[in-house]
Amino acid sequence: MALLPILRYPDPRLHTVAAPVAGVDEDIRRLIADMAETMYEAPGIGLAATQVDVHKRIVVIDVSEDRSDLRALINPEIIERDGEQVHEEGCLSVPGIYEKVTRAERVKVRALNDKGEPFEFEADGLLAVCVQHEIDHLDGKVFVEYLSQLKLGRIKSKLAKKARITA
């Protein structure tokens, strides 16, 4: 396994729409393992392949406290949405920024697992937020883009300043 570099907002590659995975093979399983290792090391609770500059529809998620519930979702799609919740979100591609975003309270998701088998599950609370957040990445959208133009401008300035300081 290997740690993968995570793209930082506003890198334009984060706006690339990921392509569906045609078949699940050993390369895809290796990518999933590398993504999981990268997510845990960061540390985070979700990571989309887009964030590591691989533009395939793959996400890894683990919202458990003890890192015991890793989920790999290949070609995930939300097939039902219900309710509304506001949750403070952060993102490994937008380090140090946390903002409230409104999303569906419950979602039903269809995806393939790491063996290429289709499955469905329902999610609510933090898992529902995480699934929606990561699928947004696959669609080329970053959570800060849900915010007002004023807030987004401030975030971009803050990130640019931080980049100059660490460069």
Side-chain angles (χ1 to χ4, degrees), residues 146-157:
Y146 283 101
L147 306 174
S148 70
Q149 289 296 78
L150 179 63
K151 272 191 176 179
L152 185 57
R154 287 180 181 156
I155 288 168
K156 284 181 178 178
S157 295

Side-chain angles (χ1 to χ4, degrees), residues 8 42-45 86-101 126 129 133 142-145 147 151-152 154-155 158-159 162:
R8 302 283 189 222
I45 60 170
V86 177
H87 201 279
E88 188 173 72
E89 295 186 29
C91 181
L92 297 176
S93 291
V94 194
I97 303 296
Y98 300 90
E99 292 287 340
K100 291 185 183 212
V101 176
L126 181 59
V129 169
H133 178 113
V142 180
F143 89 101
V144 293
E145 294 163 355
L147 306 174
K151 272 191 176 179
L152 185 57
R154 287 180 181 156
I155 288 168
K158 186 175 181 179
L159 293 172
K162 192 184 295 185

Side-chain angles (χ1 to χ4, degrees), residues 95-121:
I97 303 296
Y98 300 90
E99 292 287 340
K100 291 185 183 212
V101 176
T102 302
R103 297 196 184 267
E105 185 177 11
R106 287 175 299 286
V107 294
K108 185 173 186 179
V109 180
R110 178 184 302 138
L112 300 177
N113 65 18
D114 62 354
K115 296 173 187 67
E117 302 163 338
F119 71 103
E120 293 181 3
F121 68 97

Side-chain angles (χ1 to χ4, degrees), residues 33-146:
D34 290 347
M35 287 174 59
E37 182 179 6
T38 302
M39 174 187 72
Y40 288 134
E41 180 68 24
I45 60 170
L47 186 68
T50 302
Q51 292 176 271
V52 294
D53 203 20
V54 176
H55 302 286
K56 296 180 179 178
R57 295 192 75 81
I58 301 169
V59 300
V60 293
I61 293 173
D62 188 344
V63 298
S64 69
E65 291 288 324
D66 61 357
R67 299 179 171 185
S68 64
D69 191 25
L70 180 65
R71 297 167 188 247
L73 309 177
I74 301 168
N75 298 336
E77 58 180 317
I78 296 172
I79 55 177
E80 288 178 25
R81 297 174 191 266
D82 186 43
E84 190 175 279
Q85 65 176 321
V86 177
H87 201 279
E88 188 173 72
E89 295 186 29
C91 181
L92 297 176
S93 291
V94 194
I97 303 296
Y98 300 90
E99 292 287 340
K100 291 185 183 212
V101 176
T102 302
R103 297 196 184 267
E105 185 177 11
R106 287 175 299 286
V107 294
K108 185 173 186 179
V109 180
R110 178 184 302 138
L112 300 177
N113 65 18
D114 62 354
K115 296 173 187 67
E117 302 163 338
F119 71 103
E120 293 181 3
F121 68 97
E122 294 183 11
D124 60 11
L126 181 59
L127 180 57
V129 169
C130 193
V131 166
Q132 293 170 84
H133 178 113
E134 299 309 330
I135 290 176
D136 273 355
H137 277 300
L138 300 181
D139 294 333
K141 188 162 187 173
V142 180
F143 89 101
V144 293
E145 294 163 355
Y146 283 101

